[in-house]
Amino acid sequence: MKRLFDMENPLMRTMAVACDLLVLNLLAILCCLPVVTAGASLTALFDISIHMVRGEEGYIFKPFFRSFAGNLKKGSLMGVLFLLAAVILVVDYQAASFYIPMLRAGAAALLVILLAIALYAFALLSRYENTVFRTLKNAAALAVGFFPRTLGMTAFTVALWILGFRFYQVGAPVLLMFGLSLPSFVSALLLKGVFHEIDKTEP
């Protein structure tokens, strides 16, 4: 029994990570509510997720809000840019449904590409000091250069949200608890090797 509740026990470690992800998800949602601060919230979300993957999770609240405040300007700007692009693509998708149904696939593909770049962009912004547009450029380059990882991150995120909406009664609570934090954590796992490669090339 004592071994069961040992924090080094894989089950207890998994439960601890799940609790941290739950708290992190609620914080991210809360800070996304003003909409214009959503980018800063997502940047802080990736910042904490990356530290969790590296075994440096520690506390959640103070590091999250410190990262949120530190990336408020750049993160918010990046978030607004992604939101505007997403709105345009969603409108195009809806319009294509009425006029040119074949173009729906193109709009949907562009939305997925936008998501892939966003996953890299917010992670990069949380870790490296750079301008917003330079970060976006690097994110697009990495999304292409590390395509298998990009595919894994994007597929997981899209699948989670599609299943969440498809099976709404069960999926809605799951998305509320882990809809943002779980994709960021999985992405951080896959980005660990990417950041290792980047760090090796830096002077």
Side-chain angles (χ1 to χ4, degrees):
M1 184 64 69
K2 181 178 179 181
R3 187 175 181 182
L4 177 63
F5 292 99
D6 185 352
M7 288 308 297
E8 294 303 316
N9 184 294
L11 177 61
M12 293 300 295
R13 292 179 65 181
T14 300
M15 291 178 63
V17 170
C19 288
D20 285 345
L21 290 178
L22 173 60
V23 172
L24 187 57
N25 198 76
L26 295 178
L27 284 176
I29 291 175
L30 178 65
C31 292
C32 280
L33 290 180
V35 181
V36 293
T37 61
S41 179
L42 294 175
T43 304
L45 172 69
F46 272 92
D47 191 7
I48 303 303
S49 297
I50 291 168
H51 280 86
M52 288 176 65
V53 166
R54 298 177 66 184
E56 305 167 351
E57 60 269 29
Y59 297 103
I60 299 294
F61 286 92
K62 285 186 178 180
F64 180 89
F65 286 109
R66 183 168 58 247
S67 179
F68 177 82
N71 293 287
L72 185 58
K73 184 177 180 180
K74 291 182 180 179
S76 297
L77 174 58
M78 183 178 290
V80 169
L81 292 175
F82 276 116
L83 178 61
L84 289 175
V87 168
I88 292 172
L89 289 175
V90 169
V91 171
D92 287 345
Y93 180 87
Q94 294 295 335
S97 300
F98 290 100
Y99 301 107
I100 312 176
M102 289 182 61
L103 292 181
R104 286 195 307 172
L110 288 175
L111 276 169
V112 173
I113 292 172
L114 185 68
L115 172 62
I117 295 174
L119 291 172
Y120 277 95
F122 288 115
L124 287 172
L125 187 61
S126 74
R127 187 172 172 85
Y128 302 103
E129 184 65 32
N130 218 330
T131 66
V132 169
F133 293 101
R134 185 70 178 176
T135 299
L136 291 173
K137 180 179 178 181
N138 291 340
L142 290 173
V144 175
F146 292 89
F147 182 73
R149 295 174 190 266
T150 304
L151 184 61
M153 297 187 321
T154 309
F156 180 86
T157 303
V158 171
L160 177 65
W161 279 85
I162 288 178
L163 290 174
F165 280 105
R166 176 66 178 81
F167 304 98
Y168 184 75
Q169 290 185 334
V170 177
V174 172
L175 292 179
L176 179 62
M177 293 186 293
F178 303 108
L180 297 177
S181 61
L182 188 55
S184 72
F185 184 77
V186 171
S187 296
L189 285 170
L190 292 172
L191 287 172
K192 188 176 181 180
V194 176
F195 289 145
H196 180 68
E197 291 296 321
I198 294 174
D199 292 338
K200 284 197 307 183
T201 61
E202 287 193 337

